[in-house]
mmCIF file with all atom_site columns, all heavy atoms in Angstrom:
data_model
loop_
_atom_site.group_PDB
_atom_site.id
_atom_site.type_symbol
_atom_site.label_atom_id
_atom_site.label_alt_id
_atom_site.label_comp_id
_atom_site.label_asym_id
_atom_site.label_entity_id
_atom_site.label_seq_id
_atom_site.pdbx_PDB_ins_code
_atom_site.Cartn_x
_atom_site.Cartn_y
_atom_site.Cartn_z
_atom_site.occupancy
_atom_site.B_iso_or_equiv
_atom_site.pdbx_formal_charge
_atom_site.auth_seq_id
_atom_site.auth_comp_id
_atom_site.auth_asym_id
_atom_site.auth_atom_id
_atom_site.pdbx_PDB_model_num
ATOM 1   N N   . LEU A 1 33  ? 15.066 3.730   214.696 1.00 98.00 ? 668  LEU A N   1
ATOM 2   C CA  . LEU A 1 33  ? 14.149 4.441   213.804 1.00 98.00 ? 668  LEU A CA  1
ATOM 3   C C   . LEU A 1 33  ? 14.687 5.790   213.354 1.00 98.00 ? 668  LEU A C   1
ATOM 4   O O   . LEU A 1 33  ? 14.861 6.050   212.175 1.00 98.00 ? 668  LEU A O   1
ATOM 5   C CB  . LEU A 1 33  ? 12.773 4.614   214.445 1.00 98.00 ? 668  LEU A CB  1
ATOM 6   C CG  . LEU A 1 33  ? 12.093 3.331   214.953 1.00 98.00 ? 668  LEU A CG  1
ATOM 7   C CD1 . LEU A 1 33  ? 10.705 3.661   215.523 1.00 98.00 ? 668  LEU A CD1 1
ATOM 8   C CD2 . LEU A 1 33  ? 11.976 2.304   213.848 1.00 98.00 ? 668  LEU A CD2 1
ATOM 9   N N   . ASP A 1 502 ? -5.436 3.966   214.478 1.00 96.00 ? 1137 ASP A N   1
ATOM 10  C CA  . ASP A 1 502 ? -4.608 2.998   215.205 1.00 96.00 ? 1137 ASP A CA  1
ATOM 11  C C   . ASP A 1 502 ? -3.168 3.441   215.006 1.00 96.00 ? 1137 ASP A C   1
ATOM 12  O O   . ASP A 1 502 ? -2.529 3.086   214.007 1.00 96.00 ? 1137 ASP A O   1
ATOM 13  C CB  . ASP A 1 502 ? -4.841 1.586   214.665 1.00 96.00 ? 1137 ASP A CB  1
ATOM 14  C CG  . ASP A 1 502 ? -4.044 0.516   215.401 1.00 96.00 ? 1137 ASP A CG  1
ATOM 15  O OD1 . ASP A 1 502 ? -2.999 0.852   216.003 1.00 96.00 ? 1137 ASP A OD1 1
ATOM 16  O OD2 . ASP A 1 502 ? -4.452 -0.656  215.383 1.00 96.00 ? 1137 ASP A OD2 1
ATOM 17  N N   . PHE A 1 503 ? -2.658 4.237   215.946 1.00 95.00 ? 1138 PHE A N   1
ATOM 18  C CA  . PHE A 1 503 ? -1.377 4.893   215.728 1.00 95.00 ? 1138 PHE A CA  1
ATOM 19  C C   . PHE A 1 503 ? -0.259 3.905   215.435 1.00 95.00 ? 1138 PHE A C   1
ATOM 20  O O   . PHE A 1 503 ? 0.475  4.052   214.454 1.00 95.00 ? 1138 PHE A O   1
ATOM 21  C CB  . PHE A 1 503 ? -0.990 5.758   216.941 1.00 95.00 ? 1138 PHE A CB  1
ATOM 22  C CG  . PHE A 1 503 ? 0.435  6.216   216.887 1.00 95.00 ? 1138 PHE A CG  1
ATOM 23  C CD1 . PHE A 1 503 ? 0.844  7.141   215.946 1.00 95.00 ? 1138 PHE A CD1 1
ATOM 24  C CD2 . PHE A 1 503 ? 1.392  5.689   217.749 1.00 95.00 ? 1138 PHE A CD2 1
ATOM 25  C CE1 . PHE A 1 503 ? 2.169  7.554   215.859 1.00 95.00 ? 1138 PHE A CE1 1
ATOM 26  C CE2 . PHE A 1 503 ? 2.716  6.093   217.685 1.00 95.00 ? 1138 PHE A CE2 1
ATOM 27  C CZ  . PHE A 1 503 ? 3.101  7.027   216.733 1.00 95.00 ? 1138 PHE A CZ  1
ATOM 28  N N   . GLU A 1 504 ? -0.067 2.900   216.296 1.00 96.00 ? 1139 GLU A N   1
ATOM 29  C CA  . GLU A 1 504 ? 1.061  1.987   216.109 1.00 96.00 ? 1139 GLU A CA  1
ATOM 30  C C   . GLU A 1 504 ? 1.016  1.296   214.743 1.00 96.00 ? 1139 GLU A C   1
ATOM 31  O O   . GLU A 1 504 ? 2.032  1.204   214.046 1.00 96.00 ? 1139 GLU A O   1
ATOM 32  C CB  . GLU A 1 504 ? 1.091  0.939   217.231 1.00 96.00 ? 1139 GLU A CB  1
ATOM 33  C CG  . GLU A 1 504 ? 1.681  1.430   218.544 1.00 96.00 ? 1139 GLU A CG  1
ATOM 34  C CD  . GLU A 1 504 ? 0.743  2.311   219.340 1.00 96.00 ? 1139 GLU A CD  1
ATOM 35  O OE1 . GLU A 1 504 ? -0.464 2.334   219.009 1.00 96.00 ? 1139 GLU A OE1 1
ATOM 36  O OE2 . GLU A 1 504 ? 1.192  2.985   220.277 1.00 96.00 ? 1139 GLU A OE2 1
ATOM 37  N N   . ARG A 1 505 ? -0.153 0.815   214.360 1.00 97.00 ? 1140 ARG A N   1
ATOM 38  C CA  . ARG A 1 505 ? -0.259 0.114   213.077 1.00 97.00 ? 1140 ARG A CA  1
ATOM 39  C C   . ARG A 1 505 ? -0.040 1.067   211.904 1.00 97.00 ? 1140 ARG A C   1
ATOM 40  O O   . ARG A 1 505 ? 0.740  0.769   210.980 1.00 97.00 ? 1140 ARG A O   1
ATOM 41  C CB  . ARG A 1 505 ? -1.623 -0.557  212.965 1.00 97.00 ? 1140 ARG A CB  1
ATOM 42  C CG  . ARG A 1 505 ? -1.834 -1.301  211.642 1.00 97.00 ? 1140 ARG A CG  1
ATOM 43  C CD  . ARG A 1 505 ? -3.221 -1.917  211.569 1.00 97.00 ? 1140 ARG A CD  1
ATOM 44  N NE  . ARG A 1 505 ? -4.269 -0.913  211.645 1.00 97.00 ? 1140 ARG A NE  1
ATOM 45  C CZ  . ARG A 1 505 ? -4.659 -0.156  210.614 1.00 97.00 ? 1140 ARG A CZ  1
ATOM 46  N NH1 . ARG A 1 505 ? -4.061 -0.269  209.435 1.00 97.00 ? 1140 ARG A NH1 1
ATOM 47  N NH2 . ARG A 1 505 ? -5.634 0.733   210.763 1.00 97.00 ? 1140 ARG A NH2 1
ATOM 48  N N   . ALA A 1 508 ? 3.584  2.516   211.799 1.00 98.00 ? 1143 ALA A N   1
ATOM 49  C CA  . ALA A 1 508 ? 4.540  1.498   211.353 1.00 98.00 ? 1143 ALA A CA  1
ATOM 50  C C   . ALA A 1 508 ? 4.454  1.312   209.840 1.00 98.00 ? 1143 ALA A C   1
ATOM 51  O O   . ALA A 1 508 ? 5.486  1.160   209.153 1.00 98.00 ? 1143 ALA A O   1
ATOM 52  C CB  . ALA A 1 508 ? 4.274  0.183   212.075 1.00 98.00 ? 1143 ALA A CB  1
ATOM 53  N N   . ALA A 1 518 ? 11.007 -3.380  207.153 1.00 96.00 ? 1153 ALA A N   1
ATOM 54  C CA  . ALA A 1 518 ? 9.736  -3.864  207.676 1.00 96.00 ? 1153 ALA A CA  1
ATOM 55  C C   . ALA A 1 518 ? 9.562  -3.447  209.138 1.00 96.00 ? 1153 ALA A C   1
ATOM 56  O O   . ALA A 1 518 ? 10.485 -3.564  209.946 1.00 96.00 ? 1153 ALA A O   1
ATOM 57  C CB  . ALA A 1 518 ? 9.668  -5.387  207.557 1.00 96.00 ? 1153 ALA A CB  1
ATOM 58  N N   . LEU A 1 519 ? 8.373  -2.948  209.460 1.00 97.00 ? 1154 LEU A N   1
ATOM 59  C CA  . LEU A 1 519 ? 8.041  -2.577  210.830 1.00 97.00 ? 1154 LEU A CA  1
ATOM 60  C C   . LEU A 1 519 ? 6.546  -2.775  211.024 1.00 97.00 ? 1154 LEU A C   1
ATOM 61  O O   . LEU A 1 519 ? 5.753  -2.369  210.179 1.00 97.00 ? 1154 LEU A O   1
ATOM 62  C CB  . LEU A 1 519 ? 8.405  -1.114  211.101 1.00 97.00 ? 1154 LEU A CB  1
ATOM 63  C CG  . LEU A 1 519 ? 8.210  -0.606  212.539 1.00 97.00 ? 1154 LEU A CG  1
ATOM 64  C CD1 . LEU A 1 519 ? 9.224  -1.243  213.482 1.00 97.00 ? 1154 LEU A CD1 1
ATOM 65  C CD2 . LEU A 1 519 ? 8.307  0.919   212.606 1.00 97.00 ? 1154 LEU A CD2 1
ATOM 66  N N   . ASP A 1 520 ? 6.181  -3.414  212.126 1.00 97.00 ? 1155 ASP A N   1
ATOM 67  C CA  . ASP A 1 520 ? 4.770  -3.543  212.457 1.00 97.00 ? 1155 ASP A CA  1
ATOM 68  C C   . ASP A 1 520 ? 4.505  -2.872  213.792 1.00 97.00 ? 1155 ASP A C   1
ATOM 69  O O   . ASP A 1 520 ? 5.405  -2.283  214.403 1.00 97.00 ? 1155 ASP A O   1
ATOM 70  C CB  . ASP A 1 520 ? 4.334  -5.014  212.473 1.00 97.00 ? 1155 ASP A CB  1
ATOM 71  C CG  . ASP A 1 520 ? 5.114  -5.860  213.476 1.00 97.00 ? 1155 ASP A CG  1
ATOM 72  O OD1 . ASP A 1 520 ? 5.783  -5.295  214.370 1.00 97.00 ? 1155 ASP A OD1 1
ATOM 73  O OD2 . ASP A 1 520 ? 5.051  -7.103  213.371 1.00 97.00 ? 1155 ASP A OD2 1
ATOM 74  N N   . ALA A 1 521 ? 3.255  -2.945  214.259 1.00 97.00 ? 1156 ALA A N   1
ATOM 75  C CA  . ALA A 1 521 ? 2.877  -2.246  215.487 1.00 97.00 ? 1156 ALA A CA  1
ATOM 76  C C   . ALA A 1 521 ? 3.697  -2.731  216.674 1.00 97.00 ? 1156 ALA A C   1
ATOM 77  O O   . ALA A 1 521 ? 4.157  -1.925  217.493 1.00 97.00 ? 1156 ALA A O   1
ATOM 78  C CB  . ALA A 1 521 ? 1.382  -2.435  215.747 1.00 97.00 ? 1156 ALA A CB  1
ATOM 79  N N   . ASP A 1 522 ? 3.889  -4.030  216.790 1.00 96.00 ? 1157 ASP A N   1
ATOM 80  C CA  . ASP A 1 522 ? 4.680  -4.566  217.908 1.00 96.00 ? 1157 ASP A CA  1
ATOM 81  C C   . ASP A 1 522 ? 6.125  -4.091  217.826 1.00 96.00 ? 1157 ASP A C   1
ATOM 82  O O   . ASP A 1 522 ? 6.754  -3.797  218.847 1.00 96.00 ? 1157 ASP A O   1
ATOM 83  C CB  . ASP A 1 522 ? 4.632  -6.092  217.911 1.00 96.00 ? 1157 ASP A CB  1
ATOM 84  C CG  . ASP A 1 522 ? 3.261  -6.640  218.304 1.00 96.00 ? 1157 ASP A CG  1
ATOM 85  O OD1 . ASP A 1 522 ? 2.476  -5.884  218.901 1.00 96.00 ? 1157 ASP A OD1 1
ATOM 86  O OD2 . ASP A 1 522 ? 2.989  -7.818  217.995 1.00 96.00 ? 1157 ASP A OD2 1
ATOM 87  N N   . GLY A 1 523 ? 6.656  -4.004  216.612 1.00 96.00 ? 1158 GLY A N   1
ATOM 88  C CA  . GLY A 1 523 ? 8.032  -3.544  216.450 1.00 96.00 ? 1158 GLY A CA  1
ATOM 89  C C   . GLY A 1 523 ? 8.198  -2.087  216.835 1.00 96.00 ? 1158 GLY A C   1
ATOM 90  O O   . GLY A 1 523 ? 9.224  -1.698  217.422 1.00 96.00 ? 1158 GLY A O   1
ATOM 91  N N   . LEU A 1 524 ? 7.187  -1.274  216.535 1.00 97.00 ? 1159 LEU A N   1
ATOM 92  C CA  . LEU A 1 524 ? 7.241  0.135   216.922 1.00 97.00 ? 1159 LEU A CA  1
ATOM 93  C C   . LEU A 1 524 ? 7.220  0.267   218.443 1.00 97.00 ? 1159 LEU A C   1
ATOM 94  O O   . LEU A 1 524 ? 7.982  1.047   219.031 1.00 97.00 ? 1159 LEU A O   1
ATOM 95  C CB  . LEU A 1 524 ? 6.075  0.892   216.301 1.00 97.00 ? 1159 LEU A CB  1
ATOM 96  C CG  . LEU A 1 524 ? 5.992  2.390   216.590 1.00 97.00 ? 1159 LEU A CG  1
ATOM 97  C CD1 . LEU A 1 524 ? 7.246  3.119   216.142 1.00 97.00 ? 1159 LEU A CD1 1
ATOM 98  C CD2 . LEU A 1 524 ? 4.760  2.996   215.917 1.00 97.00 ? 1159 LEU A CD2 1
ATOM 99  N N   . SER A 1 525 ? 6.371  -0.506  219.097 1.00 95.00 ? 1160 SER A N   1
ATOM 100 C CA  . SER A 1 525 ? 6.306  -0.472  220.565 1.00 95.00 ? 1160 SER A CA  1
ATOM 101 C C   . SER A 1 525 ? 7.613  -0.968  221.182 1.00 95.00 ? 1160 SER A C   1
ATOM 102 O O   . SER A 1 525 ? 8.073  -0.411  222.182 1.00 95.00 ? 1160 SER A O   1
ATOM 103 C CB  . SER A 1 525 ? 5.135  -1.330  221.050 1.00 95.00 ? 1160 SER A CB  1
ATOM 104 O OG  . SER A 1 525 ? 3.904  -0.805  220.594 1.00 95.00 ? 1160 SER A OG  1
ATOM 105 N N   . ALA A 1 526 ? 8.205  -1.997  220.588 1.00 95.00 ? 1161 ALA A N   1
ATOM 106 C CA  . ALA A 1 526 ? 9.476  -2.517  221.110 1.00 95.00 ? 1161 ALA A CA  1
ATOM 107 C C   . ALA A 1 526 ? 10.592 -1.489  220.963 1.00 95.00 ? 1161 ALA A C   1
ATOM 108 O O   . ALA A 1 526 ? 11.451 -1.350  221.846 1.00 95.00 ? 1161 ALA A O   1
ATOM 109 C CB  . ALA A 1 526 ? 9.845  -3.812  220.384 1.00 95.00 ? 1161 ALA A CB  1
ATOM 110 N N   . ALA A 1 527 ? 10.592 -0.733  219.864 1.00 97.00 ? 1162 ALA A N   1
ATOM 111 C CA  . ALA A 1 527 ? 11.602 0.316   219.674 1.00 97.00 ? 1162 ALA A CA  1
ATOM 112 C C   . ALA A 1 527 ? 11.462 1.387   220.738 1.00 97.00 ? 1162 ALA A C   1
ATOM 113 O O   . ALA A 1 527 ? 12.465 1.902   221.270 1.00 97.00 ? 1162 ALA A O   1
ATOM 114 C CB  . ALA A 1 527 ? 11.473 0.919   218.280 1.00 97.00 ? 1162 ALA A CB  1
ATOM 115 N N   . ALA A 1 528 ? 10.219 1.754   221.085 1.00 96.00 ? 1163 ALA A N   1
ATOM 116 C CA  . ALA A 1 528 ? 9.999  2.739   222.140 1.00 96.00 ? 1163 ALA A CA  1
ATOM 117 C C   . ALA A 1 528 ? 10.501 2.218   223.477 1.00 96.00 ? 1163 ALA A C   1
ATOM 118 O O   . ALA A 1 528 ? 11.141 2.952   224.240 1.00 96.00 ? 1163 ALA A O   1
ATOM 119 C CB  . ALA A 1 528 ? 8.512  3.070   222.235 1.00 96.00 ? 1163 ALA A CB  1
ATOM 120 N N   . GLN A 1 529 ? 10.245 0.954   223.781 1.00 95.00 ? 1164 GLN A N   1
ATOM 121 C CA  . GLN A 1 529 ? 10.730 0.367   225.027 1.00 95.00 ? 1164 GLN A CA  1
ATOM 122 C C   . GLN A 1 529 ? 12.255 0.373   225.079 1.00 95.00 ? 1164 GLN A C   1
ATOM 123 O O   . GLN A 1 529 ? 12.857 0.687   226.110 1.00 95.00 ? 1164 GLN A O   1
ATOM 124 C CB  . GLN A 1 529 ? 10.202 -1.059  225.168 1.00 95.00 ? 1164 GLN A CB  1
ATOM 125 C CG  . GLN A 1 529 ? 10.756 -1.843  226.354 1.00 95.00 ? 1164 GLN A CG  1
ATOM 126 C CD  . GLN A 1 529 ? 10.287 -1.325  227.707 1.00 95.00 ? 1164 GLN A CD  1
ATOM 127 O OE1 . GLN A 1 529 ? 9.267  -0.641  227.793 1.00 95.00 ? 1164 GLN A OE1 1
ATOM 128 N NE2 . GLN A 1 529 ? 11.032 -1.635  228.751 1.00 95.00 ? 1164 GLN A NE2 1
ATOM 129 N N   . ARG A 1 530 ? 12.913 0.052   223.959 1.00 96.00 ? 1165 ARG A N   1
ATOM 130 C CA  . ARG A 1 530 ? 14.382 0.074   223.919 1.00 96.00 ? 1165 ARG A CA  1
ATOM 131 C C   . ARG A 1 530 ? 14.905 1.477   224.207 1.00 96.00 ? 1165 ARG A C   1
ATOM 132 O O   . ARG A 1 530 ? 15.893 1.652   224.940 1.00 96.00 ? 1165 ARG A O   1
ATOM 133 C CB  . ARG A 1 530 ? 14.886 -0.384  222.548 1.00 96.00 ? 1165 ARG A CB  1
ATOM 134 C CG  . ARG A 1 530 ? 14.786 -1.862  222.283 1.00 96.00 ? 1165 ARG A CG  1
ATOM 135 C CD  . ARG A 1 530 ? 15.573 -2.248  221.050 1.00 96.00 ? 1165 ARG A CD  1
ATOM 136 N NE  . ARG A 1 530 ? 15.079 -1.646  219.819 1.00 96.00 ? 1165 ARG A NE  1
ATOM 137 C CZ  . ARG A 1 530 ? 14.137 -2.174  219.047 1.00 96.00 ? 1165 ARG A CZ  1
ATOM 138 N NH1 . ARG A 1 530 ? 13.560 -3.315  219.383 1.00 96.00 ? 1165 ARG A NH1 1
ATOM 139 N NH2 . ARG A 1 530 ? 13.775 -1.566  217.932 1.00 96.00 ? 1165 ARG A NH2 1
ATOM 140 N N   . ARG A 1 593 ? 10.716 -8.024  226.523 1.00 70.00 ? 1228 ARG A N   1
ATOM 141 C CA  . ARG A 1 593 ? 11.370 -7.593  225.279 1.00 70.00 ? 1228 ARG A CA  1
ATOM 142 C C   . ARG A 1 593 ? 12.630 -8.385  225.027 1.00 70.00 ? 1228 ARG A C   1
ATOM 143 O O   . ARG A 1 593 ? 12.918 -8.809  223.903 1.00 70.00 ? 1228 ARG A O   1
ATOM 144 C CB  . ARG A 1 593 ? 11.680 -6.096  225.324 1.00 70.00 ? 1228 ARG A CB  1
ATOM 145 C CG  . ARG A 1 593 ? 12.208 -5.554  223.994 1.00 70.00 ? 1228 ARG A CG  1
ATOM 146 C CD  . ARG A 1 593 ? 12.652 -4.118  224.089 1.00 70.00 ? 1228 ARG A CD  1
ATOM 147 N NE  . ARG A 1 593 ? 13.875 -3.969  224.858 1.00 70.00 ? 1228 ARG A NE  1
ATOM 148 C CZ  . ARG A 1 593 ? 15.090 -4.275  224.393 1.00 70.00 ? 1228 ARG A CZ  1
ATOM 149 N NH1 . ARG A 1 593 ? 15.232 -4.798  223.182 1.00 70.00 ? 1228 ARG A NH1 1
ATOM 150 N NH2 . ARG A 1 593 ? 16.156 -4.098  225.130 1.00 70.00 ? 1228 ARG A NH2 1
ATOM 151 N N   . ALA A 1 596 ? 11.781 -11.871 223.879 1.00 68.00 ? 1231 ALA A N   1
ATOM 152 C CA  . ALA A 1 596 ? 11.325 -11.860 222.490 1.00 68.00 ? 1231 ALA A CA  1
ATOM 153 C C   . ALA A 1 596 ? 12.487 -11.632 221.528 1.00 68.00 ? 1231 ALA A C   1
ATOM 154 O O   . ALA A 1 596 ? 12.542 -12.222 220.442 1.00 68.00 ? 1231 ALA A O   1
ATOM 155 C CB  . ALA A 1 596 ? 10.266 -10.774 222.301 1.00 68.00 ? 1231 ALA A CB  1
#
Side-chain angles (χ1 to χ4, degrees):
L668 306 182
D1137 182 336
F1138 168 69
E1139 281 77 14
R1140 179 182 61 80
L1154 184 70
D1155 59 16
D1157 290 341
L1159 181 58
S1160 297
Q1164 174 69 21
R1165 286 192 297 272
R1228 187 186 71 76

